[in-house]
Amino acid sequence: MIQQFTEIIEGYTGLHVRKQDLSLLWQKIQVRMRVLKLASPEQYYQYLASHLDIGKTDFLKVHHEWQQLIQLLTTGESYFFRDRGQFRLLRQQLLPELIRERSHYAAAHGIKPSLRLWSAGCSTGEEAYSLAILVHQLIPDLANWNLLILGTDINAAAIAKAKEGFYSSWSFRTLDEETQAKYFRAHRDGWKLDEQICKMVTFAPGNLVTDHFSDFQINLSHIDLIICRNVFIYFTSEVIAKVLKKLGGALSSDGYLMTGHAELHGQTVECLQTKIFPESFVYQRCDYTLERKQPAAVDRSKTIKTQLNTQATNLDWTPFQLDYAIASTTTTSPSKQDTLSEAEKCFCKGDYRDTIQIAQRAIAQNQHSFELHHLTAQAYASLGENDQVKYYCEKAIVINPLAISPYYLLAHIAREQGQLEQAKNMLKRIIYLDPTAITAYLELSSLYTQEGDVSRAKKMQASALELMQQSALEVPAR
């Protein structure tokens, strides 16, 4: 029965329920059963299913019970100007560039300039309002602009709170006192956002997985900037691919997508070009013409590798970070890329046997493709064929010994098989290759806890917490 619940939840919300979280999910289901006075889990499942027509759900009319369950499943952690590095990039480069280009275009065509920004997965609104504050600072003649700043979230209760514009001190833990004093006033036991900033933002409930963006009452197209951070970490790879395609289609021809750090690792980001900044990776929609696409790709590959090697030295990147950056920004040969894309599409659809067949045929022609070996390992993992997973992971590691993703697969298999020492060794290798791999520290902590080694577990938790704080607070030097 629990499997049926996880499938219907993932199908509607995109939220992936891990094996270790199943008992907690069951507790939450029982809470809702008691509220509704239902006698069995089967009754509750049918109750959810009867009010859910996946793919046709009205964007603004999500059933009450689904909202109650979603509130239990989502955390909604947020605060103003979260991740100073990314907001510095927005303030100093991305937004000024968009504002300048939109202004020039409007002047050339004798129309009113337009700027469209979207905070997707905005929680209680701090991110969307942070964008509004930046725009207020960067555009002195706002009255002369057509401006849309939209915040959407699947949690309707979070959206209702966002509309109030009222926050506790916890939401200002990284905000400087000057900005807080300028845009907020003390109100009861918290702070109220300036009404002018509140009016700049429109909030609405939204489901990234099931909603059709073109059907929204607020048309989600030609968006200049989409921020979707700390959302993909809750999704499966298949759901991420689905949502990415929709977000890319919603962008303007040169619009930007900003995600959390490394949230799209391993994803094929179609129609989007990865751009590297000291503060973050971002993705820009680029619609190249066929005439210039192929020759430009060759020259661009050489140029980017040179730039990234220089940047890696200046920023003290780990070898993995440099490897990932180069892989994210250069292209493969058309035939290999087409085959890889075909295999990845099958994987995203859950056609794991087809994925394996396509990838293995390609490997026979190209035995040095890390991507094909790793994708094959992922497909076998989805089928539970662990011996094959190990084989293809080992092959992938030989091809690219600096990549960490195969080690994660091997660690998970070792843990499932009760080989805790081997699982710990795999996670330690990940940390050796990438000392900032927060997930590896957390999984090591869980393993040490399982073994009763409280001291080491706390040490790993402390390391993960320190890395998360650094990610949120530090601004890398240029």
Side-chain angles (χ1 to χ4, degrees):
M1 192 73 234
I2 192 67
Q3 181 63 30
Q4 291 177 273
F5 276 110
T6 60
E7 288 175 0
I8 196 173
I9 288 170
E10 183 175 319
Y12 177 58
T13 68
L15 299 174
H16 175 59
V17 182
R18 303 173 301 175
K19 290 182 180 180
Q20 57 266 40
D21 296 330
L22 290 177
S23 60
L24 183 58
L25 171 63
W26 194 247
Q27 293 173 19
K28 294 174 179 179
I29 288 171
Q30 290 177 321
V31 168
R32 295 308 307 163
M33 285 172 53
R34 286 194 293 270
V35 171
L36 297 173
K37 298 180 180 180
L38 297 176
S40 69
E42 287 81 5
Q43 285 181 310
Y44 184 56
Y45 178 86
Q46 291 300 325
Y47 187 81
L48 289 175
S50 67
H51 293 90
L52 179 63
D53 186 2
I54 296 177
K56 298 181 181 178
T57 304
D58 190 321
F59 173 63
L60 296 176
K61 296 179 181 178
V62 179
H63 187 267
H64 175 74
E65 180 52 33
W66 270 102
Q67 279 301 318
Q68 296 301 312
L69 182 59
I70 286 168
Q71 288 178 43
L72 293 178
L73 296 174
T74 55
T75 56
E77 167 67 6
S78 188
Y79 49 91
F80 284 96
F81 291 90
R82 183 177 185 176
D83 194 318
R84 289 184 178 181
Q86 288 190 329
F87 268 98
R88 177 179 177 177
L89 177 61
L90 288 168
R91 182 196 303 271
Q92 296 187 354
Q93 186 152 348
L94 299 188
L95 284 175
E97 173 190 314
L98 288 169
I99 291 167
R100 182 172 58 253
E101 291 183 357
R102 300 306 181 258
S103 181
H104 289 167
Y105 179 87
H109 292 79
I111 59 176
K112 199 173 184 179
S114 173
L115 186 67
R116 297 167 63 81
L117 314 177
W118 178 19
S119 171
C122 68
S123 185
T124 47
E126 289 92 333
E127 181 176 85
Y129 284 135
S130 297
L131 279 174
I133 290 172
L134 286 185
V135 171
H136 185 267
Q137 294 171 344
L138 293 170
I139 303 180
D141 58 338
L142 266 177
N144 297 324
W145 282 69
N146 288 321
L147 176 67
L148 170 69
I149 302 177
L150 176 67
T152 65
D153 198 276
I154 194 172
N155 189 329
I159 289 296
K161 187 179 186 310
K163 291 178 178 179
E164 294 175 356
F166 177 78
Y167 297 95
S168 69
S169 297
W170 188 239
S171 292
F172 304 97
R173 52 190 182 273
T174 65
L175 188 64
D176 61 276
E177 293 181 0
E178 182 181 352
T179 302
Q180 184 174 349
K182 182 175 181 179
Y183 292 102
F184 298 85
R185 59 179 176 82
H187 181 69
R188 296 199 298 272
D189 55 345
W191 296 82
K192 187 73 171 66
L193 180 60
D194 181 85
E195 192 63 27
Q196 183 180 4
I197 302 299
C198 284
K199 290 179 178 179
M200 291 173 63
V201 184
T202 300
F203 289 102
N207 187 323
L208 293 173
V209 179
T210 63
D211 287 325
H212 299 288
F213 296 167
S214 59
D215 293 341
F216 289 177
Q217 290 186 3
I218 301 173
N219 182 31
L220 280 178
S221 62
H222 299 94
I223 304 295
D224 299 307
L225 169 69
I226 300 174
I227 300 183
C228 187
R229 303 186 302 170
N230 305 303
V231 174
F232 293 123
I233 56 175
Y234 301 106
F235 291 172
T236 63
S237 178
E238 297 91 331
V239 174
I240 293 174
K242 176 181 178 181
V243 174
L244 265 181
K245 184 176 181 180
K246 294 165 72 175
L247 292 178
L251 285 170
S252 60
S253 60
D254 59 347
Y256 285 105
L257 169 66
M258 176 178 282
T259 69
H261 299 289
E263 280 189 283
L264 301 187
H265 177 54
Q267 288 289 329
T268 299
V269 189
E270 295 181 357
C271 82
L272 299 178
Q273 175 188 14
T274 307
K275 302 194 74 172
I276 310 297
F277 297 95
E279 297 87 350
S280 182
F281 293 99
V282 296
Y283 305 89
Q284 185 176 31
R285 179 164 174 170
C286 294
D287 300 325
Y288 294 109
T289 62
L290 292 175
E291 289 77 12
R292 69 180 188 178
K293 185 173 182 180
Q294 295 305 325
V298 177
D299 295 335
R300 180 174 171 271
S301 173
K302 294 178 180 179
T303 303
I304 285 177
K305 287 183 179 181
T306 301
Q307 291 173 342
L308 289 176
N309 275 289
T310 303
Q311 197 161 13
T313 303
N314 294 338
L315 298 178
D316 194 26
W317 277 357
T318 65
F320 166 71
Q321 288 171 311
L322 175 59
D323 177 65
Y324 172 55
I326 292 174
S328 298
T329 55
T330 57
T331 56
T332 57
S333 64
S335 58
K336 176 187 170 185
Q337 186 61 51
D338 290 345
T339 304
L340 179 61
S341 296
E342 183 184 357
E344 287 175 334
K345 287 177 182 177
C346 286
F347 184 85
C348 291
K349 293 177 183 177
D351 300 332
Y352 303 122
R353 291 295 179 193
D354 289 344
T355 301
I356 292 167
Q357 290 179 4
I358 294 169
Q360 287 180 338
R361 286 199 301 267
I363 288 172
Q365 303 296 322
N366 183 357
Q367 298 181 12
H368 302 290
S369 170
F370 170 84
E371 295 90 347
L372 289 169
H373 282 85
H374 182 244
L375 183 61
T376 305
Q378 288 179 298
Y380 275 121
S382 299
L383 295 170
E385 299 182 19
N386 292 337
D387 289 341
Q388 294 287 352
V389 177
K390 293 177 183 177
Y391 174 81
Y392 281 96
C393 277
E394 289 167 1
K395 289 284 189 181
I397 289 169
V398 170
I399 296 169
N400 185 357
L402 298 179
I404 64 175
S405 47
Y407 289 113
Y408 273 116
L409 275 176
L410 293 173
H412 293 161
I413 290 173
R415 184 170 187 174
E416 288 176 3
Q417 295 178 337
Q419 300 170 349
L420 302 190
E421 199 63 36
Q422 185 175 347
K424 288 191 295 183
N425 287 337
M426 293 297 106
L427 294 169
K428 289 175 182 177
R429 290 186 189 182
I430 292 170
I431 292 172
Y432 174 78
L433 291 169
D434 180 13
T436 66
I438 295 173
T439 302
Y441 286 102
L442 292 174
E443 292 194 15
L444 263 178
S445 174
S446 177
L447 285 171
Y448 283 128
T449 300
Q450 187 175 340
E451 292 179 329
D453 193 339
V454 178
S455 176
R456 282 194 172 92
K458 288 183 177 179
K459 184 177 179 181
M460 292 298 105
Q461 287 179 353
S463 297
L465 179 60
E466 182 180 353
L467 287 168
M468 285 188 280
Q469 290 172 336
Q470 289 176 357
S471 176
L473 299 177
E474 289 185 358
V475 179
R478 290 186 179 274

